[in-house]
Amino acid sequence: MPLVRAPLFVSASHFRPAPPAAVGRRGGAVVVCVAALVAGCATDGGKPAYVPHIVTPYRIDVQQGNFITQEMVDKLAVGQTREQVRFILGTPLLTDIFHANRWDYLYRHSKGWNAPERRKLVVHFDADGRLARWEAEVPPPAPATPPPAPPAQAPAAATPREAPASPPGAVSGAGNLVLGEPGGARGPVPPGAPQ
């Protein structure tokens, strides 16, 4: 079989430029795609104004930081050690290397589309590592409503159960097999035995 050689160069007639109409269609599609991407990046992340209130995208609840309640703040007392404060409040979110005697507890809770709830507690220690003072921005808890009392029910009167009647010709005392009755656990009584 003879060896076929390819030409060393390709003539310019093999490479035809695309017609101007095709370049315009492709270029227009690229411009539209780039414009859509830029418009998508330009949103502020809030709920869009053009979306009706019935149809809203789901937004998860986000909790960040140390959850601090008023009860936790009420347990603080001047003179407590760092370990006691850490036991009550947990590990601080921020410890400043320039202010080693200051611990910052921050909390932020974003619930859906509502405005985020923020709490802040700053704890200051003296030179000996004892609690000196604190600054709390903790909103008071919502008043809890007591659960409704269950309706009062009168206790059911206990009625003694009677043993079923024994069929004729049965061994006397066979009715004592009903559990929960006196003598029910000892089994049938043989004839002639005292009852």
Side-chain angles (χ1 to χ4, degrees), residues 171-182:
V171 178
S172 66
N176 287 344
L177 288 177
V178 178
L179 294 178
E181 294 292 321

Side-chain angles (χ1 to χ4, degrees), residues 24-190:
R25 276 186 261 145
R26 271 191 258 148
V30 169
V31 169
V32 169
C33 289
V34 169
L37 289 174
V38 170
C41 295
T43 62
D44 63 351
K47 188 162 77 169
Y50 60 85
V51 176
H53 292 289
I54 295 173
V55 180
T56 56
Y58 178 73
R59 194 166 185 186
I60 63 170
D61 296 347
V62 179
Q63 295 182 7
Q64 297 173 317
N66 301 86
F67 182 72
I68 303 294
T69 62
Q70 187 62 44
E71 292 82 22
M72 296 167 87
V73 175
D74 292 341
K75 291 180 184 178
L76 294 177
V78 174
Q80 290 178 330
T81 63
R82 292 177 187 259
E83 290 78 21
Q84 291 172 328
V85 173
R86 185 177 284 123
F87 180 76
I88 294 170
L89 301 175
T91 305
L93 186 65
L94 299 173
T95 53
D96 191 359
I97 60 171
F98 299 110
H99 303 98
N101 293 333
R102 173 183 166 161
W103 286 355
D104 294 307
Y105 292 88
L106 304 174
Y107 176 73
R108 183 178 185 270
H109 182 208
S110 298
K111 188 166 185 151
W113 293 97
N114 299 331
E117 172 189 353
R118 299 171 191 267
R119 297 178 185 183
K120 181 179 178 182
L121 174 67
V122 181
V123 179
H124 298 275
F125 296 95
D126 59 9
D128 297 330
R130 300 283 182 169
L131 182 61
R133 62 185 169 91
W134 61 90
E135 303 159 10
E137 296 175 12
V138 180
T145 57
Q153 295 179 353
T159 57
R161 277 189 355 193
E162 294 186 15
S166 53
V171 178
S172 66
N176 287 344
L177 288 177
V178 178
L179 294 178
E181 294 292 321
R186 61 186 166 136
V189 179

